């Protein structure tokens, strides 16, 4: 490579520096030479020095070391310019790309010269908005059966917590309900479902945009549809309002991530605000118990200066109501709900990941006068057969909900594993013989989770197992397992079919909860599984593509 062929590439990058006029520095480059001006500029800026006899020797083939020296001087000038307050050096995206290519070409020589390219890499990152995405196409077939409860008296009722509002289709209410128990195996609500086959597709577009050195924006746009699913319409569940198309036959387009991240340099504190990817910054929602994004804010403290690989975070999240709630509706439970979460993550012995969580919702559910009229008239008294569950009354009270979790994960001989336990405490109403609330009782439950994956043949084989009791209640896992189930099992095999695509073969089994308490005197079953679901089996064939 000739010198003059090379330095015209770098000369195109140096117009951003003001250079004083000077006489020709090299005796072998006359003023009438076609290269005179470019060589003069390079010399004035200190990018080329020449030889001790004041010659440039432009016709001689340059060595890689000589060319690396020119690139090194350019990088040094750019670094100093970026650190200066006036920051006179300005490069556009094409300039940055060219300089980065030169730095990559001569990276070994630059390394031997101990040249840093941090400022250049930072500039390149700030000039880049990254778009990534994924597409999922899933064929499901599922079956479900139910169990009948034993009659307790002439009339038997089920007391539960309802995260759907069937009466007004209004988001914002998580209410206590009482309805007739299904005690006859021939009840239409207990009819088994078989061969529930449907196709689900989902396409997600991710956006990552740096705003400044310490500020960035992330967003994700999702479109999805369930074609042929037996469930009609969307979900009014205020907990999973973001994914209302999950069980919907129509096309659903929504934003499930949109948040700003701001690191308070030089302090080890990061703020996150917007529609968050999860309700805390821990990893456990990927493994067990939590899989919902939510509006809110986080503050994350990096404690690595005191404890290696340790962070502590505090999160405030919000469940919004429908936005047009009357004062009467608000008095009966329709209102925003605030969630507060503390999270600790650390790494022990550089091998064992440990995290702990505590979450609290003060006014999670509303319990008014628990009764139902045959035609939703609000007539006092216990419900009649076939009546829709209804909660009303201005003298009700709220119940809290909180949870805690400890989870460990590790890798042994290429096998990734996790083990955790979650405890939950849910306030539930206690009824007297007339259907009125006689008190509030905290129902404490829990579930173990264990799982992992490992390489197997040409792909990855994995499993997740949760074992809960009848008092365990977690409303934040609706996209994975309904709140009416206590045990969960899946097996999956991931088979790569291309660099950015894989097939998934999945089997899922879920076991329904039984009533956690039975009041034989007044004829009540207390349960978190009002549909009386028993066994659920599902097979999935899935194609995932990243782009």
């Amino acid at each position: 490579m000739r010198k003059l062929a090379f330095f015209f590439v770098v000369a195109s990058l140096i117009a951003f520096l003001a250079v004083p006029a000077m006489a020709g520095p090299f005796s072998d480059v006359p003023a009438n030479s076609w290269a005179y001006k470019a060589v003069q500029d390079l010399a004035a800026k200190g990018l080329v020095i020449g030889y001790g006899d004041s010659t440039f020797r432009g016709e001689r083939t340059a060595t890689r070391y000589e060319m690396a020296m020119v690139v090194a001087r350019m990088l040094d000038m750019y670094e100093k310019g970026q650190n200066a307050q006036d920051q006179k050096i300005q490069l556009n995206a094409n300039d940055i790309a060219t300089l980065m290519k030169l730095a990559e070409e001569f990276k070994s020589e630059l390394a031997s010269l101990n040249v840093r390219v941090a400022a250049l890499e930072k500039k390149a990152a700030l000039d880049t908005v990254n778009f990534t995405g994924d597409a999922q196409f899933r064929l499901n077939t599922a079956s479900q059966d139910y169990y009948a409860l034993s009659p307790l008296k002439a009339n038997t009722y089920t007391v539960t917590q309802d995260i759907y509002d069937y009466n007004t289709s209004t988001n914002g209410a998580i209410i206590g309900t009482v309805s007739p128990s299904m005690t006859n195996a021939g009840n239409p609500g207990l009819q088994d479902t078989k061969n529930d086959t449907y196709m689900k597709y989902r396409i997600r577009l991710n956006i990552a945009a740096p705003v400044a050195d310490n500020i960035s924006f992330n967003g994700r746009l999702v479109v999805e549809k369930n074609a042929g699913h037996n469930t009609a319409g969307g979900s009014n569940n205020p907990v999973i309002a973001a994914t209302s198309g999950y069980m919907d036959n129509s096309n659903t387009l929504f934003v499930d991530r949109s948040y700003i991240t701001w690191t308070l340099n030089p302090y080890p504190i990061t703020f996150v605000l917007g529609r968050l990817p999860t309700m805390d910054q821990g990893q456990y929602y990927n493994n067990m118990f939590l899989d919902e994004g939510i509006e809110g804010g986080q503050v994350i403290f990096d404690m690595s200066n005191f404890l290696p690989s340790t962070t502590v975070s505090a999160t405030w999240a919000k469940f919004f109501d429908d936005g047009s709630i009357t004062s009467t509706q608000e008095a009966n439970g329709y209102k925003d709900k605030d969630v507060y979460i503390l999270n600790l993550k650390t790494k022990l012995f550089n091998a064992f990941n440990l995290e702990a969580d505590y979450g609290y919702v003060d006014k999670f559910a509303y319990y008014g006068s628990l009764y139902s009229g045959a035609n939703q008239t609000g007539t006092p008294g216990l419900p009649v057969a076939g009546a829709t569950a209804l909660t009303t009354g201005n003298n009700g009270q709220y119940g809290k909900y909180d949870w805690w979790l400890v989870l460990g994960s590790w890798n042994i001989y290429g096998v990734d594993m996790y083990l955790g336990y979650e405890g939950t405490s849910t306030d539930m109403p206690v009824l007297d013989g007339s259907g009125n609330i006689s008190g509030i009782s905290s129902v404490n439950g829990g579930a173990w989770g264990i799982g992992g994956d490992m390489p197997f043949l040409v792909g990855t084989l994995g499993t997740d197992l949760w074992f809960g009791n009848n008092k365990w209640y977690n409303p934040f896992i609706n996209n994975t397992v309904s709140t009416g189930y206590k045990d969960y099992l899946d097996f999956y095999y991931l088979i790569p079919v291309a660099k950015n695509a894989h097939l998934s073969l999945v089997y899922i089994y879920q076991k329904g909860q039984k009533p956690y308490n039975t009041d034989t005197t007044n004829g009540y079953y207390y349960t978190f599984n009002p549909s009386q679901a028993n066994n659920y089996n599902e097979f999935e064939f899935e194609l995932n593509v990243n782009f």
Side-chain angles (χ1 to χ4, degrees):
M1 181 185 294
R2 302 262 179 197
K3 279 187 180 180
L4 294 179
F6 168 73
F7 79 70
F8 271 107
V9 175
V10 299
S12 65
L13 299 174
I14 65 174
F16 49 78
L17 287 175
V19 183
M22 60 173 288
F26 304 118
S27 60
D28 59 344
V29 184
N32 61 356
S33 170
W34 61 273
Y36 178 83
K37 181 63 170 60
V39 173
Q40 182 188 40
D41 288 346
L42 289 170
K45 294 167 184 175
L47 297 177
V48 294
I49 299 175
Y51 295 89
D53 60 357
S54 298
T55 60
F56 178 64
R57 305 181 189 177
E59 293 303 313
R60 188 185 67 81
T61 301
T63 67
R64 286 186 62 87
Y65 182 79
E66 289 173 333
M67 292 187 289
M69 286 296 296
V70 175
V71 176
R73 290 167 188 149
M74 294 181 68
L75 292 170
D76 182 65
M77 293 174 66
Y78 180 75
E79 182 92 22
K80 291 177 179 177
Q82 291 300 298
N83 292 334
Q85 291 185 352
D86 55 5
Q87 292 191 358
K88 292 181 179 178
I89 297 180
Q90 299 294 330
L91 296 180
N92 60 34
N94 290 332
D95 295 335
I96 290 290
T98 301
L99 197 49
M100 288 289 285
K101 288 179 181 178
L102 290 171
E104 176 65 22
E105 171 66 26
F106 300 108
K107 63 181 179 181
S108 59
E109 289 83 2
L110 294 173
S112 67
L113 294 171
N114 197 28
V115 176
R116 299 179 58 199
V117 295
L120 186 65
E121 292 172 343
K122 182 185 296 183
K123 173 68 175 175
L126 287 175
D127 286 344
T128 303
V129 177
N130 292 314
F131 292 90
T132 60
D134 61 79
Q136 180 188 89
F137 304 89
R138 178 192 297 173
L139 178 65
N140 289 51
T141 181
S143 62
Q144 171 77 69
D145 62 26
Y146 301 86
Y147 63 86
L149 290 169
S150 300
L152 298 177
K153 296 176 59 179
N155 294 300
T156 303
Y157 305 103
T158 296
V159 181
T160 190
Q161 194 175 80
D162 193 352
I163 57 177
Y164 300 87
D165 177 9
Y166 294 103
N167 299 297
T168 64
S169 298
T170 301
N171 289 336
I174 299 176
I175 58 178
T177 62
V178 57
S179 57
S181 300
M182 291 178 281
T183 58
N184 185 340
N187 190 298
L190 299 181
Q191 297 302 304
D192 297 346
T193 58
K194 299 179 179 179
N195 192 28
D196 181 7
T197 302
Y198 61 98
M199 179 78 178
K200 174 184 176 180
Y201 69 77
R202 182 190 68 196
I203 302 173
R204 302 188 296 194
L205 176 64
N206 302 292
I207 304 171
V211 179
D213 290 351
N214 59 336
I215 301 175
S216 63
F217 168 79
N218 290 84
R220 186 162 73 184
L221 187 66
V222 180
V223 60
E224 61 183 15
K225 177 179 179 179
N226 274 356
H229 197 280
N230 286 346
T231 302
S235 166
N236 293 318
N237 180 352
V239 176
I240 59 169
T243 52
S244 58
Y246 188 76
M247 301 294 282
D248 199 337
N249 278 320
S250 62
N251 289 306
T252 305
L253 177 67
F254 58 92
V255 175
D256 74 337
R257 294 183 183 181
S258 180
Y259 60 94
I260 294 289
T261 302
W262 172 37
T263 300
L264 193 63
N265 292 333
Y267 306 103
I269 302 174
T270 299
F271 297 95
V272 187
L273 182 65
R275 182 159 191 81
L276 309 178
T278 180
M279 288 205 300
D280 66 41
Q281 68 115 20
Q283 67 175 16
Y284 81 82
Y285 74 97
N286 283 324
N287 297 329
M288 54 192 289
F289 308 134
L290 180 64
D291 61 1
E292 294 304 332
I294 203 73
E295 283 81 10
Q298 294 177 348
V299 56
I300 305 169
F301 302 91
D302 187 346
M303 311 294 288
S304 297
N305 290 335
F306 309 99
L307 296 171
S309 305
T310 300
T311 61
V312 175
S313 70
T315 301
W316 160 76
K318 196 80 168 177
F319 297 157
F320 288 102
D321 61 29
D322 206 36
S324 58
I325 303 302
T326 66
S327 56
T328 300
Q329 287 174 317
E330 186 172 84
N332 287 277
Y334 297 89
K335 65 190 310 176
D336 297 347
K337 302 174 192 343
D338 296 288
V339 185
Y340 303 96
I341 307 168
L342 294 176
N343 171 268
L344 167 68
K345 288 203 309 181
T346 189
K347 195 168 188 176
L348 304 177
F349 312 113
N350 201 34
F352 184 78
N353 300 299
L354 179 67
E355 75 170 277
D357 283 77
Y358 174 74
Y360 178 80
V361 189
D362 183 25
K363 296 182 177 181
F364 179 73
Y366 178 80
Y367 307 119
S369 299
L370 300 182
Y371 56 80
S372 174
N375 298 303
Q376 303 183 31
T377 60
T379 304
L382 292 169
V384 298
T388 302
L390 178 66
T391 299
T392 187
N394 293 320
N395 298 316
Q397 51 191 306
Y398 284 93
K400 64 175 177 60
Y401 172 77
D402 61 336
W403 76 93
W404 61 271
L405 175 134
V406 176
L407 177 76
S409 60
W410 61 93
N411 180 286
I412 299 179
Y413 300 113
V415 179
D416 292 313
M417 297 192 66
Y418 70 87
L419 173 66
Y421 180 82
E422 184 194 50
T424 63
S425 179
T426 311
D427 282 356
M428 289 292 289
V430 179
L431 274 62
D432 62 20
S434 300
N436 296 313
I437 297 176
S438 61
I440 296 291
S441 173
S442 292
V443 180
N444 300 315
W448 288 93
I450 184 172
D453 58 62
M454 65 178 183
F456 182 74
L457 298 179
V458 296
T460 300
L461 184 66
T463 185
D464 298 285
L465 300 95
W466 308 350
F467 304 100
N469 56 35
N470 292 319
K471 295 183 177 182
W472 175 55
Y473 177 74
N474 191 321
F476 305 124
I477 58 171
N478 287 271
N479 282 1
T480 305
V481 53
S482 167
T483 56
Y485 296 90
K486 66 183 184 69
D487 300 330
Y488 174 88
L489 165 67
D490 69 37
F491 290 106
Y492 56 88
Y493 186 39
L494 311 181
I495 307 170
V497 294
K499 181 179 179 180
N500 296 316
H502 69 268
L503 290 174
S504 300
L505 306 176
V506 184
Y507 168 71
I508 295 174
Y509 172 77
Q510 299 175 97
K511 180 66 175 178
Q513 291 176 315
K514 297 297 176 67
Y516 64 81
N517 190 27
T518 302
D519 181 354
T520 56
T521 301
N522 296 307
Y524 299 126
Y525 283 110
Y526 292 86
T527 183
F528 292 123
N529 179 19
S531 67
Q532 300 173 207
N534 191 24
N535 297 292
Y536 177 84
N537 291 273
E538 179 176 320
F539 296 90
E540 298 177 359
F541 178 81
E542 192 174 276
L543 174 63
N544 293 273
V545 179
N546 297 318
F547 51 87

